[in-house]
């Protein structure tokens, strides 16, 4: 392992040992999003050439929340 990689590894371990580590979970009813995605998936694929994932919905919700609560 190079000296640079060893330093990075050492500092990552140090950060994990000294920083507060917290994980939270939120449950969300995604049934309306999943139904919309199922209805529009094929048309979206034909129009844009990529699949309709879930990230787009999360980004749209985040933008709406930031507009409501800047």
């Amino acid at each position: 392992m190079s000296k640079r990689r060893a330093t990075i590894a050492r500092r990552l371990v140090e950060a994990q040992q000294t920083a507060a580590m917290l994980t939270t979970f939120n449950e969300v009813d995604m049934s309306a999003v999943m139904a919309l995605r199922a209805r529009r998936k094929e048309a979206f694929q034909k129009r844009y050439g990529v699949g309709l994932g879930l990230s787009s919905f999360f980004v749209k919700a985040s933008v709406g929340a930031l507009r409501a609560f800047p």
Side-chain angles (χ1 to χ4, degrees), residues 41-50:
K41 192 174 185 177
E42 189 175 321
F44 190 90
Q45 175 75 37
K46 285 180 183 177
R47 183 171 182 177
Y48 298 107
V50 294

Side-chain angles (χ1 to χ4, degrees), residues 1-13:
M1 182 182 303
S2 72
K3 186 175 180 179
R4 179 183 292 178
R5 288 180 64 114
T7 300
I8 292 170
R10 186 178 69 252
R11 289 190 179 166
L12 283 172
V13 170

Side-chain angles (χ1 to χ4, degrees), residues 45-70:
Q45 175 75 37
K46 285 180 183 177
R47 183 171 182 177
Y48 298 107
V50 294
L52 179 59
L54 294 175
S55 297
S56 303
F57 294 101
F58 291 118
V59 170
K60 185 167 178 66
S62 298
V63 168
L66 287 170
R67 283 186 177 151
F69 302 98

Side-chain angles (χ1 to χ4, degrees), residues 24-36:
T24 61
F25 295 92
N26 295 305
E27 292 187 26
V28 178
D29 181 5
M30 295 287 290
S31 56
V33 172
M34 297 307 284
L36 174 64

